[in-house]
Amino acid sequence: GDSVTQKQGQVTLSEDDFLFINCTYSTTTYPTLFWYVQYPGQGPQLLLKVTTANNKGISRGFEATYDKGTTSFHLQKASVQESDSAVYFCALAGTGNTGKLIFGLGTTLQVQP
Amino acid sequence: NSKVIQTPRYLVKGQGQKAKMRCIPEKGHPVVFWYQQNKNNEFKFLINFQNQEVLQQIDMTEKRFSAECPSNSPCSLEIQSSEAGDSALYLCASSLNRHTEVFFGKGTRLTVV
């Protein structure tokens, strides 16, 4: 079945560091992939969407590129700020045409000033 | 800012009690989802609707959980007899159709004591 794997549970960086969060997926269909960000006490907010048609998403300084060969969808940002501290989730639109999302376990990013 | 409105934000129930939460999807979004997010950040899909019709639901939802999305009224998720293991953040989300971005509310945090 469909699945998403985020191996990094926690990432700690300093301001202006480069961010890279790993995400791999498995599906039998053409993937539509998302990155969501969740701040404390809030619901997940959509950060990026990428499909096989556009291959790359960019938003608020974050970038993600879909790689079919390695079935990966990593999230990057050149220079993080303390305000980027949050939990980041990779998600895959599941097969079955219901709109259901399959989420990874999330990566908690802590950016120190 | 999320346009999906969930009430209440916090809910405390005793074991065996009913727990009911409501959701107003973003205006014009006919597809509504309910997810459960546990303390380990794991998302569990519960059910989704398109207009008033159920698209997909998991076994758990078919037993103690019930949900509906009546026309011209908020959607709701109800747990008939709460258990300690139901303590979680319940997230409602909506989308324009089954293939587009999904937007989440801030959630209802249920604590079963």
Side-chain angles (χ1 to χ4, degrees), chain B residues 39-101:
Chain B
K39 63 181 180 180
N40 296 320
N41 281 335
E42 294 169 306
F43 285 79
K44 181 178 288 186
F45 168 84
L46 298 177
I47 191 169
N48 64 344
F49 296 84
Q50 181 154 349
N51 297 310
Q52 293 78 54
E53 301 298 320
V54 174
L55 290 173
Q56 186 179 6
Q57 62 182 341
I58 65 166
D59 286 347
M60 181 175 76
T61 313
E62 292 171 4
K63 295 173 181 173
R64 295 183 300 109
F65 289 61
S66 62
E68 61 177 2
C69 270
S71 63
N72 301 318
S73 293
C75 297
S76 64
L77 176 69
E78 185 172 54
I79 306 173
Q80 303 302 321
S81 177
S82 301
E83 299 176 354
D86 297 331
S87 295
L89 182 67
Y90 288 84
L91 292 161
C92 178
S94 70
S95 65
L96 193 57
N97 60 54
R98 285 178 266 174
H99 307 288
T100 58
E101 293 86 341

Side-chain angles (χ1 to χ4, degrees), chain A residues 1-2 27-30 92-102, chain B residues 33 45 48 50 54-57 98-99:
Chain A
D2 301 323
T27 183
T28 56
T29 188
Y30 296 104
L92 167 71
T95 54
N97 197 31
T98 64
K100 170 184 161 184
L101 294 175
I102 313 299
Chain B
F33 304 80
F45 168 84
N48 64 344
Q50 181 154 349
V54 174
L55 290 173
Q56 186 179 6
Q57 62 182 341
R98 285 178 266 174
H99 307 288

Side-chain angles (χ1 to χ4, degrees), chain A residues 24-85:
Chain A
T24 57
Y25 66 89
S26 175
T27 183
T28 56
T29 188
Y30 296 104
T32 298
L33 299 152
F34 304 87
W35 279 100
Y36 281 84
V37 57
Q38 188 173 24
Y39 298 98
Q42 304 289 316
Q45 298 175 17
L46 180 63
L47 186 57
L48 290 171
K49 172 187 174 184
V50 172
T51 67
T52 53
N54 59 10
N55 282 4
K56 178 184 278 191
I58 299 175
S59 173
R60 302 190 237 167
F62 291 88
E63 179 179 319
T65 303
Y66 146 73
D67 186 328
K68 181 182 177 182
T70 58
T71 61
S72 65
F73 183 54
H74 308 312
L75 182 70
Q76 304 177 84
K77 187 176 186 184
S79 175
V80 293
Q81 303 303 306
E82 192 177 0
S83 59
D84 293 325
S85 297

